[in-house]
Amino acid sequence: MSDLTVFAPLAGWVTPLADVPDAVFAEKMLGDGIAIDPVNDMLCAPCDAVVLTVHEAGHAVTLRSTDGYELICHIGIDTVSLGGQGLTPQVQAGAKVLAGQPLIRFDLDHLVRNAPAVVTPIIVADATLYGVELIAKGLVAVGDPLLRVVPLAGEAVESVAGGETLVQETVVALSHGLHARPAARLVEAVRRHEAKVTLYHGDRHASALSAVGLLGLGLGHGATVRIEASGAQAAAALADVITFLKDATVEETPVEAPEPARAEGPGLGGVPAAPGLAVGPIHRLTRAAIPVETVAGSADEETTKLNDALARVREGLEQAATAGGARGGVMAAHGAMLSDPTLSEAALTAIGRGLSAGVAWQEAIAEQVAILLSSGDRRIAERADDLRDLERHVLAALAGLPIEGPSVPAGAILVAEDLLPSQVAALDAASVAGIALVRGGPTSHAAILAAGMGLPMAVAFGDPLAALEDGRDIILDADRGLIDPDADAEAQADARDTIARRKAEMEAARAAQGPCRTLDGTRIEMFANLGSVADAEVAVREGAEGCGLLRTEFLFLDRATAPTREEQARDYQAIADALGDRPMIVRLLDVGGDKPAPYMDLPVEENPALGLRGIRVSLADPQLLEDQVGAILSVRQPCRIMAPMVASLSELEAVRAVVERQGGKAEVGVMIETPAAAISADILARKADFFSIGTNDLTQYTLAMDRGNAAVAAGVDGLHPAVLRLIGATCDGAARNDTPVGVCGSLAADRLAVPILLGLGVTELSVPPARVAAIKALVGKLDLARCRAAAMQALALPSAPAVRAHVTKMLQEIGA
């Protein structure tokens, strides 16, 4: 046998078998290999091979390479217990596949929520004759060289020491049949005996020492199997095999994935995603699957099909982009992504390997989705939803089917399993009352679009929401993530009155020209978070008093080279001009291990969230920092400079030294995003001109919950008392040096968080432009003394939902 190179069948992080949370794989009972913690949704062939088996649960596949090696690819741990949910095989046993060809599509979000782990072992089965040499480490893409299999000298001989052949039948009692885990344990049990054992089922048979052979028998629960054993210890081996197969308790009870933290209160509990209140009937949206032709014609035929479909979709996107607004913006972005040659070239390459146009397009999308998800950054990863949108549009064009936006009756609450960004953008915000999702995440692109459109939205309600019938009148409290499914006429009337009152107050705040103040006259600066000239124009119309966060990474990403100092200066000046004489806080470049720019020589990191990112990247590239600071200082209007991800005083001092070297006199502040910065705020305040708290990162670092991980993202709530205590510590430390504190994270736009933030000492709020008027109206109804009392009480509460309930009661008492 010749050497075999095994290519990565998934995109994700390479993980040693020893770290897989299952002894069968970790102890190499099935064979040697490697595992990948996936970030995409497709398992592809790791080499040219024949498919031996596809498990009926859809979670595992066995292959024989063209060189005769047998491999096992097993998606996740204990995924057999899912019964095929979230797993869709793309091939059948007996199929010949090429390296990179799709084998199993899976719903990664579903697996993360319902399986103990999604780490996927790739095993060279029964590898006693082979040496396995690892090639890859860190992050891999589909098709990257993963490991090399090398034949060893010598040949193993199955030793049998004579004796009669014993035969017995039994029925398989294993709850999920003989899948990978029990097969490996059965092999281990038989190896302890000096015996040759063969299992027969139907017209197939396999040695009990071959895990792949055993999997190929397809022994499900209740199957009858004949066992033949010979050799000196045949009787003992036969008895062990029968005992094993008849033991229904062999498989451990699967470990359940942690349940996301949901709202506390009557009715259905979900997770807040976009603030607001809605009342109306349920209108359920279902998303039909698009048929994909898997049988390929000639390469020329499939290429023509794909190019025609791409042209039709591109034309439709260009037309939709002219509509302007949120929908136009999303469609324009989709058009730009569709024009990226990376997608079409990858699909055409896959067609050249013999795939159909539809399967090739799916593969190309899956590879790009994997790259985006692997960034570890929510803002970049959210673009994966846009790619999935494009996938559906092109597949529909290939199938000759139309793709239309959701049609929702006026005043209805849209209920769906999940929503893609284009589906949200296509909604009429003046007509739809709100959105409630069975799944979804609070930081998704769909949620951000909903917030920008003023649509109340809550997510992650689970099966209870799925069970509610169409047409039922409900009240959606998206501020708390609650649904009242049994609201009577009086409750519905009260909700409508509250909605009307809030709308009137927001209009009044938008029209008011004076500065933002609390009810007792305390000055609170009302700023907006910006990323473009268009954002600045909207913010001014909504009454923003300035920019509390200008995200500058929009200039640095999605390009082949870094922007020049002149390019940066031109764009910063344009935004400053749109703001007029209003102040502008410019955040220094916030990229790094989790937000890679292709032209930066940054390492692939095992844990990018804790690696080279934020101000650390700029300090590691002095010229980049010099150019950006120089560009900011060249803006005619005075700007403030803010350093992201600061954890120590030395980092702030290094930034201030660059500002001084450039001859500027700009104020220099710190973005408080790490617990270290919050706890040492009194030290940082000695040299910082201002603080701005980034509650999104501060929350995930404090709670040790990755907001991009679907299994825990729903629990990432900035109103958790631990986060509030760090915000309080920041304000206390700042007060010792009279350093002002703002909040530019999502809590600033959360009406249930605002009273607590003001009570803790925050004096500036920076929110998305569309939320300026609403938050300004809310601040005008708050008394600072009452906010301080509410904040002190919140710090002693046990959970974020408890804090939300506490503030809800307070706002109800003051009629806000």
Side-chain angles (χ1 to χ4, degrees), residues 172-179 182 220-222 244-248 250-251:
V172 177
L174 303 174
S175 57
H176 299 295
L178 194 65
H179 61 94
H221 174 77
F244 184 91
L245 294 176
K246 293 177 67 175
D247 185 359
V250 163
E251 299 183 75

Side-chain angles (χ1 to χ4, degrees), residues 22-66:
D22 188 299
V24 165
F25 299 108
E27 297 174 13
K28 302 183 179 180
M29 296 182 190
L30 281 170
D32 202 355
I34 197 68
I36 295 176
D37 202 355
V39 296
N40 66 331
D41 61 356
M42 182 74 78
L43 175 76
C44 299
C47 59
D48 296 349
V50 174
V51 178
L52 299 179
T53 64
V54 179
H55 194 277
E56 62 181 7
H59 71 295
V61 61
T62 61
L63 308 164
R64 180 180 291 116
S65 75
T66 53

Side-chain angles (χ1 to χ4, degrees), residues 90 290-295 356-360 362 395 398-399:
Q90 307 293 302
I290 299 173
V292 178
E293 177 59 64
T294 59
V295 178
S356 69
V359 174
Q362 288 178 313
L395 292 180
L398 284 168

Side-chain angles (χ1 to χ4, degrees), residues 250-287:
V250 163
E251 299 183 75
E252 306 89 351
T253 301
V255 179
E256 294 185 1
E259 182 71 14
R262 290 186 169 84
E264 297 174 356
L268 309 185
V271 179
L277 183 67
V279 57
I282 289 175
H283 176 76
R284 190 172 302 280
L285 177 71
T286 57
R287 192 165 69 197

Side-chain angles (χ1 to χ4, degrees), residues 564-581:
T564 64
R565 179 183 296 209
E566 291 72 24
E567 286 181 277
Q568 294 184 60
R570 184 176 62 249
D571 284 345
Y572 301 153
Q573 186 64 62
I575 294 172
D577 289 343
L579 288 172
D581 59 355

Side-chain angles (χ1 to χ4, degrees), residues 163-259:
E164 64 176 329
T165 298
L166 305 178
V167 181
Q168 189 168 338
E169 284 191 353
T170 190
V171 174
V172 177
L174 303 174
S175 57
H176 299 295
L178 194 65
H179 61 94
R181 180 184 292 103
R185 290 181 173 167
L186 182 58
V187 170
E188 289 295 303
V190 173
R191 277 184 179 151
R192 292 194 292 265
H193 302 289
E194 188 177 342
K196 177 180 179 180
V197 180
T198 305
L199 277 65
Y200 295 82
H201 177 60
D203 59 357
R204 288 170 287 179
H205 66 278
S207 166
L209 294 180
S210 170
V212 169
L214 292 174
L215 293 175
L217 294 177
L219 292 174
H221 174 77
T224 299
V225 60
R226 186 174 88 253
I227 305 110
E228 293 186 0
S230 61
Q233 296 178 319
L238 180 64
D240 280 0
V241 171
I242 292 173
T243 300
F244 184 91
L245 294 176
K246 293 177 67 175
D247 185 359
T249 66
V250 163
E251 299 183 75
E252 306 89 351
T253 301
V255 179
E256 294 185 1
E259 182 71 14

